[in-house]
Each structure stands twice: as structure tokens, then as C-alpha cells.
Amino acid sequence: MSTSIFKRINSGWLTTAYATTTAVFIGVQSFLIAVLQGPWVSFHTHGALLWVLLTTIVVATSLAASAGLVHGAVRIYRRVCAAEAKAADEIYLDLLSARETQRLQRARMHEVTSTLAGVRSASELLCNSETLDPERRVAMLTMMGSELRRLERLVRAHRGGADTMPVDNGVIDVDAVIHNLALAHEASGTTVVHHPSNALATGSSDAAAEIVNILLDNAAKHGSGAVEVVVRHEPGESGQMVVVEVSDDGPGVAPEVRDRIFEWGVRGPDSAGQGIGLNEARTVAERMGGSLRLAAGERTTFVVTLPSAVIERSEIGAEQEGASDGVVAA
């Protein structure tokens, strides 16, 4: 398919060609009109016929010229509008990219700050507490090492410009992740009651730690009393899921923001936070194939679901005679 000349030449050449064509048409029309008014037509033996013929030519070429010039003007206008629209789209996309980059950086800094706060509190506890039993001291040191390695991976991803969710995927020991985070928050003065269940999920341990850490930090800042963490398995639409419930006895989420609590920048009227954590936690959970929601009830309870690393035995052997129900590692 041949390409239109209006698409093959740029706007500058198109404008020049349009102006030149206009000048040529005006010159031709002026010449014909001058001929019509001249004595050669008036005194010629066939002057009337020539006059009619030339008049017809003038009118026809005038109409053709007008149509061509209008068509050219419209094409030039459309081309200019398309160029302006393309430039506006590029600016809009650049602004969107800049906003997403800014959100990414703020989300990472939010997690880095929270992680550092837990490590700092544990360090101060180890340095200042002379009555800390050896077993708990070892647990604190192990937690600090684990959290510092996670922090290192998070900072490395930030420097490389990678996405927020860590890329290491495998089997997540959910209880081990929660245990480390509980120690970090307990060092900061928050009581965490953890009900383990030996649950195993699939995905990134760093991503799961980020989700739970945000929820524990949120409960510590806005809740009251002990923070309870319950872990269990339950069936989902796409298979077995690991459910983590984080609840506290705080005043709860304000009714005016309850339906928008997971949106970026949304926070309660009495909150001193930035409205970043819950949005990031839900985003990471959904990227892992799970979800995050606020449950209805007397206690403020956030419910995380993650794909389970176990499958029902009936799914892989129900057709076999004598197969029993239960779960096995994936």
C-alpha cells in the first residue's frame, strides 16, 4: 500500500508545499481573469464563445482549487493536532512513570525504616538488658541477622531499580517468618501472640515478611493491647490457601475511610502515617497470588491469604482406590 504524501513529508515541507500551491492557483486565476477582461476576448469574432469558455474554466478551476486548498488545510491541521496529541501522550506517560517510581521508592523506604526500627530496638535490648536469658538472646541475634539480610536484599533491589516484590520464589515457612518479626516488634515494646500452625506457602519469604511486618507495624501504631497473629490452612477457589490473621483491640478503622483503606495515601483522620503501608501490603499479596482484606468484627483484623505449598491428597489421588484425604507437600 502506497503511503500518502502527507505522511511521508514533515509538517514544514507540507506547509511550504501548501503555500506554494496556493500562490500558483492565485496566479493562474489572476491571469485568466485578466484575459477575460482584455480586448482580445472582447473584439475577437468568437469573443462571446471564448468568454463563456474562459469563464467556465475560471469557475471550475476556482472550485477545484478551493476544494484542494481546503483539503490540504484540513490535512495540515490534523497532522499538527496528531503531533501535539502524541507529545501530550508522551508527557503524560512520563509523568505516570515518574509517579510510579516515586511510589516505589517511598514504599521501599517505608519498609526499610520499619525494618531498621525493629533491628535497632533489638540491638538496644541486647545491650541494655542484663537479665535477658541466653535462649532469648540467641533468638534476638538470629532475628537481627535475618532481618539485616532481608534489608540488604531490599536495598539491593532498590539500587537495581527492580520491582518491589522480591524475585526469590520457593516454599515459605510462614511460622518462621512471623516468629522473627514478632521478636523484632516485641523488642520495640509490642506484645505479639503468635499461634503457629506449621503452615507452608509458596512465593517469596521476603515478600511475605514485608506484608506481615506492615500489618504488625500498623497494629502497633494504631491499635492497643496485644497483637494476635493466627495462621491456618483453608480451601480457596484456586486450591489450598494459607490464611494469616493479624488483629488488635484498637479503635478500628474510621468508617469514612474503611472502604478506601487500601488505596494509596488514604489514612484515618487520627493517623500520623503516610497511607503507604496497607496499599503496598495488598499489592505484594496480590502479586503473590493472594489477597489482603479488612475483616468485619469487633477486633481490627486484617486477613492475608497466600497460595499454600500443600495440596489436598484427594486432588492428586482421588481416582486411585484407597486414596485417603489429607495434605501433602507440593
Side-chain angles (χ1 to χ4, degrees):
M1 182 181 295
S2 61
T3 305
S4 170
I5 187 174
F6 293 101
K7 296 182 179 179
R8 286 190 277 114
I9 60 179
N10 58 34
S11 297
W13 282 105
L14 187 61
T15 304
T16 302
Y18 177 75
T20 303
T21 303
T22 303
V24 170
F25 274 122
I26 292 175
V28 172
Q29 297 301 98
S30 299
F31 173 75
L32 292 175
I33 292 173
V35 171
L36 283 174
Q37 295 176 348
W40 183 76
V41 174
S42 301
F43 297 101
H44 196 276
T45 54
H46 301 290
L49 181 61
L50 289 173
W51 190 88
V52 172
L53 178 61
L54 291 175
T55 301
T56 302
I57 293 174
V58 169
V59 172
T61 53
S62 297
L63 292 175
S66 299
L69 294 176
V70 170
H71 178 71
V74 171
R75 295 298 294 271
I76 292 175
Y77 176 75
R78 288 180 176 177
R79 188 181 182 90
V80 172
C81 289
E84 293 294 333
K86 182 179 179 181
D89 287 342
E90 290 176 352
I91 294 174
Y92 176 70
L93 292 176
D94 288 342
L95 290 175
L96 283 181
S97 178
R99 187 182 70 171
E100 290 302 316
T101 300
Q102 183 186 43
R103 284 190 175 187
L104 177 63
Q105 293 175 346
R106 290 181 64 186
R108 281 176 175 159
M109 288 307 301
H110 181 276
E111 181 62 13
V112 167
T113 303
S114 178
T115 303
L116 282 176
V119 173
R120 176 183 55 80
S121 298
S123 176
E124 292 176 352
L125 180 64
L126 289 173
C127 292
N128 301 327
S129 178
E130 299 179 354
T131 59
L132 198 65
D133 63 87
E135 183 178 352
R136 191 163 183 81
R137 184 178 294 273
V138 170
M140 284 287 182
L141 289 172
T142 302
M143 177 274 296
M144 290 174 61
S146 176
E147 285 296 275
L148 286 174
R149 287 190 293 273
R150 183 169 74 89
L151 182 61
E152 181 183 8
R153 290 190 292 271
L154 186 64
V155 172
R156 189 184 302 119
H158 173 71
R159 291 173 59 186
D163 207 342
T164 47
M165 192 177 85
V167 296
D168 56 309
N169 290 315
V171 177
I172 307 170
D173 187 340
V174 179
D175 290 330
V177 169
I178 296 174
H179 177 71
N180 276 340
L181 295 173
L183 287 174
H185 284 272
E186 286 175 357
S188 303
T190 303
T191 302
V192 180
V193 180
H194 174 210
H195 301 280
S197 68
N198 299 318
L200 300 175
T202 59
S204 166
S205 295
D206 286 353
E210 182 176 357
I211 297 170
V212 176
N213 191 40
I214 289 173
L215 296 180
L216 290 176
D217 188 58
N218 188 69
K221 290 179 179 179
H222 308 297
S224 62
V227 180
E228 186 177 13
V229 183
V230 178
V231 183
R232 67 177 186 276
H233 276 283
E234 71 175 30
E237 294 182 358
S238 58
Q240 283 289 108
M241 303 294 288
V242 174
V243 179
V244 181
E245 293 184 350
V246 180
S247 58
D248 63 80
D249 292 317
V253 179
E256 59 266 31
V257 298
R258 188 177 182 89
D259 294 335
R260 302 184 297 113
I261 192 63
F262 294 106
E263 295 179 12
W264 179 273
V266 173
R267 57 185 180 179
D270 300 326
S271 173
Q274 304 176 60
I276 295 176
L278 291 177
N279 175 269
E280 176 67 8
R282 170 178 267 188
T283 300
V284 174
E286 290 177 349
R287 285 174 179 166
M288 293 178 68
S291 63
L292 173 61
R293 62 182 176 85
L294 176 62
E298 296 182 0
R299 305 193 77 197
T300 304
T301 304
F302 287 92
V303 182
V304 183
T305 62
L306 299 174
S308 176
V310 299
I311 57 177
E312 293 184 1
R313 193 178 296 272
S314 58
E315 294 180 7
I316 60 174
E319 71 282 359
Q320 298 179 2
E321 184 177 355
S324 59
D325 292 335
V327 294
V328 295

